[in-house]
Structures are given as structure tokens and as C-alpha cells.
Amino acid sequence: MLIKPRRAWDMPERLATPEDVFLYRRALLGAAGGLIAGSLLGRGPALAAAETGSAYPAPRNGAYTLDRPVTPEASSGAYNNFYEFGTSKTVLPAADALKTRPWTVRIDGLVEKPFEIGVDDLVRKMGLEERLYRHRCVEAWSMAVPWTGFPLAKLVALANPASGARYIRFETFLDKAVAPGQRQFFYPWPYVEGLTLEEAGNDLAFMVTGVYGKPLPNQFGAPIRLAVPWKYGFKSAKSLTRISFVAERPKTFWEGLQASEYGFWANVNPAVPHPRWSQASERVLGTDNRVPTLIYNGYGEQVAGLYKGLEKERLFV
Ligand SMILES: Nc1nc2c(c(=O)[nH]1)N[C@H]1C(S)=C(S)[C@@H](COP(=O)(O)O)O[C@H]1N2
Ligand SMILES: [Mo]
């Protein structure tokens, strides 16, 4: 049997345990946080008149509430995972090199008629709302953010998938010239994630184009990303260029690197530890708090039903 060699540079967690990461983040925020916050965090990308910058802030949908304060942008915006721009949490300013206009998203695969649409046309078609969501990274840190976007279900309706479509495959841009991480050949670029069509139809599955009441700053995955708040953060793929409706379960970026640790389902569960650390609790960015992690990241009431009959699957890894 062929066994893929594990390399030290494959996984961020091999270099830093969640504790190390926490201490590093604090040091970073203490030393440079103020500077970064002052110079780069506050602005979204510059948008021309034909674009949709004036749609922000969008009205908040009050159905989505939090059990904790919103994480300050100075914390969530200075501590990101975006491997295209390196494996450190400081992807600023590298991510600023990404040109997010013009930007089109291709909708293809098993749909009535494949098409390509500009991100601003998509926003105008879908409309925007703001939702407060928790986000739980598999590395055991978390945040709570006001995302702006539209339900993924609306995009599914627009695409009008054929009856054979069972999964959606989400693909991030591929551009080695702008994204230094993509010059690292041992990663299976482009970043790919996937959901079942049923998961995509859940109310919580959200396409995100803004945060903190403005268009997404690049490090958050501009101009359009996914937010699937009941799953570990790596499912929420950033800077999407292609959304495909497919019959087979897509092979994801993280499965390609380490399937035993990062599976397709990746639902949050405090009772199922990562092979190398506990998932029982999480560090809340911007605070000194460690709080208990909740099953399905606290969204069980809305999503547990999706997994009836799938108990034999590795739902939580
Ligand atoms: N394209 C792409 N999407 C990605 C990632 C990435 O490296 N590349 N990292 C994921 C991980 S592990 C997490 S926790 C979230 C982080 O989102 P944030 O940086 O906006 O908090 O993005 C996810 N989406
Ligand atoms: Mo993550």
C-alpha cells in the first residue's frame, strides 16, 4: 500500500499547537496589532461606482444571534488562515496583492446551463443581508463575526441543478503569480471544498461578500467566500472562482493533504478529538477566554437532521 509521506510543512499544527498559536497571536497583537489595525484593517477594497460597495452595511437578519460578543476586527482581521498567501496567520499584506475586480464566478457541472457571472452582478441578483455567526477553526480557536452575504440556497436555485447533482464543489482562484503559497508544489492547489446539495440547502449555509459592514477585506477571502458555521473553518473556502454541481463527492484540498485528519464532513464535535489535540474547548480570538466547544458549533438544532442515516460516516473528522 502506498503511504503518503507526512512532511513537516504539510500542516500548520505540526509547527504550532493551539496553545503556541494562541500565545503567538497575543504577542503579535501586542506588538504590531495596533499598527496593522490602523493601517490596513479598516478599509475594504476600493470599489468603482458600477460595483456594489454602496450595498454595505446590509440590513441585519435578526434570526441569527450570538451567545458571545462580536470579535473585534483588529483580532479576526489580523489572524487568518489563507494558505495561498502563506502558512502564518499574518497574511496581510500578502493577500492585498490579490486583485478582486473584475472577478467572475463560473457556475457549471450538472446544471441547466453553465454560466459565468461577475461578482457584483451576482450580489445585485441575490441581495445582501448581515448575519452574526460563530466560526470554529479545527485548530481550536474561534471567533464571532458579522458576515454580509446571501443564502447559498439562493445561488443553488439560480443554477438550477440537474437531478444527478448530489454535491457542490467550491474552487478558489489559482494564480501562482499573486499567491506565493501556490508556488509550493506539494499542496494540491487549487483549494477545493465541498458540501452535499442537502447541506447547501440548509438556511445556515451562506455565501459571504462582506464583513463588519463593508466588502470583505482580502485576508477574509475577498470578493466571495463560503461560511458553513456548523463545520470546522476549513470548509469555508475563500476567494471562489468556480462552483460546480457534481455527482461524486469532491476531493477536498485538506483530504488531499491528510485525509485521516481532515475529512469531507468535518462537523464540529467537542467529543471527537483531533488525532493530535482535544476539540473540547476553544480560544476565543480577542479575549483571554477558553470556552467549551458545542456540538455542531452550537447549530445542532438547525443541522443535526442533515445527518440522519449517515451515522456510519466520519461525520466529525
Ligand atoms: N482558499 C482558502 N480558503 C480557506 C482557507 C485557506 O487556506 N484557503 N483556510 C480555511 C480555514 S482553516 C479557516 S479557519 C478559515 C479562516 O477564515 P478567516 O481567515 O476569514 O478567519 O478559512 C478557510 N478557508
Ligand atoms: Mo481553520
Side-chain angles (χ1 to χ4, degrees):
M1 193 176 124
L2 260 177
I3 297 186
K4 199 174 174 296
R6 281 170 55 154
R7 301 180 179 92
W9 52 80
D10 270 354
M11 311 301 302
E13 301 89 343
R14 290 189 68 83
L15 301 174
T17 64
E19 301 317 306
D20 295 334
V21 163
F22 174 65
L23 294 172
Y24 170 74
R25 176 186 62 81
R26 286 183 52 168
L28 177 80
L29 288 178
L35 182 72
I36 295 172
S39 59
L40 287 166
L41 286 177
R43 63 182 170 80
L47 299 178
E51 296 167 353
T52 44
S54 63
Y56 303 84
R60 181 172 293 178
N61 182 336
Y64 302 90
T65 55
L66 291 174
D67 58 349
R68 59 194 70 177
V70 166
T71 303
E73 187 182 358
S75 298
S76 60
Y79 189 83
N80 301 89
N81 274 332
F82 204 166
Y83 272 45
E84 284 81 348
F85 296 101
T87 53
S88 95
K89 303 300 181 197
T90 312
V91 297
L92 272 174
D96 260 11
L98 182 65
K99 228 180 125 239
T100 60
R101 293 295 189 289
W103 189 281
T104 57
V105 181
R106 184 143 58 102
I107 314 283
D108 66 3
L110 302 170
V111 293
E112 192 181 35
K113 190 171 182 275
F115 62 96
E116 206 166 299
I117 186 166
V119 69
D120 296 293
D121 290 333
L122 186 62
V123 161
R124 275 187 284 270
K125 254 194 210 311
M126 302 282 102
L128 291 177
E129 64 184 66
E130 181 177 81
R131 296 182 178 187
L132 304 178
Y133 274 7
R134 290 185 295 274
H135 174 102
R136 170 59 156 82
C137 176
V138 73
E139 297 163 339
W141 56 266
S142 71
M143 61 181 184
V145 287
W147 294 127
T148 306
F150 53 87
L152 175 56
K154 269 192 164 178
L155 189 129
V156 173
L158 180 73
N160 197 8
S163 59
R166 293 190 52 218
Y167 297 90
I168 307 184
R169 179 183 181 279
F170 299 87
E171 187 178 305
T172 296
F173 76 89
L174 183 62
D175 187 348
K176 279 193 226 186
V178 244
Q182 293 184 335
R183 289 173 221 151
Q184 311 278 291
F185 66 90
F186 43 80
Y187 288 105
W189 306 112
Y191 198 97
V192 167
E193 261 306 334
L195 295 173
T196 65
L197 212 52
E198 203 193 351
E199 289 176 323
N202 187 275
D203 261 353
L204 284 167
F206 202 49
M207 295 299 300
V208 171
T209 60
V211 69
Y212 296 102
K214 59 182 187 247
L216 280 178
N218 278 11
Q219 76 272 24
F220 281 102
I224 185 163
R225 69 172 295 171
L226 191 58
V228 209
W230 71 97
K231 292 175 177 283
Y232 289 115
F234 65 84
K235 297 294 295 182
S236 296
K238 297 177 163 186
S239 304
L240 301 172
T241 52
R242 186 177 175 197
I243 299 176
S244 309
F245 292 77
V246 295
E248 305 294 331
R249 187 179 294 183
K251 171 111 178 242
T252 70
F253 177 84
W254 287 104
E255 281 182 299
L257 277 177
Q258 194 81 297
S260 61
E261 299 189 352
Y262 308 95
F264 174 80
W265 296 102
N267 294 305
V268 175
N269 188 340
V272 179
H274 185 277
R276 288 179 281 121
W277 60 84
S278 165
Q279 295 291 23
S281 66
E282 63 205 46
R283 291 280 179 193
V284 181
L285 292 191
T287 76
D288 288 336
N289 298 338
R290 179 169 279 280
V291 302
T293 288
L294 305 170
I295 180 89
Y296 294 112
N297 201 23
Y299 297 105
E301 213 172 289
Q302 293 98 307
V303 302
L306 292 169
Y307 305 103
K308 294 252 159 64
L310 292 173
E311 291 79 7
K312 287 208 182 91
E313 297 274 334
R314 285 167 59 214
L315 290 174
F316 304 105
V317 179

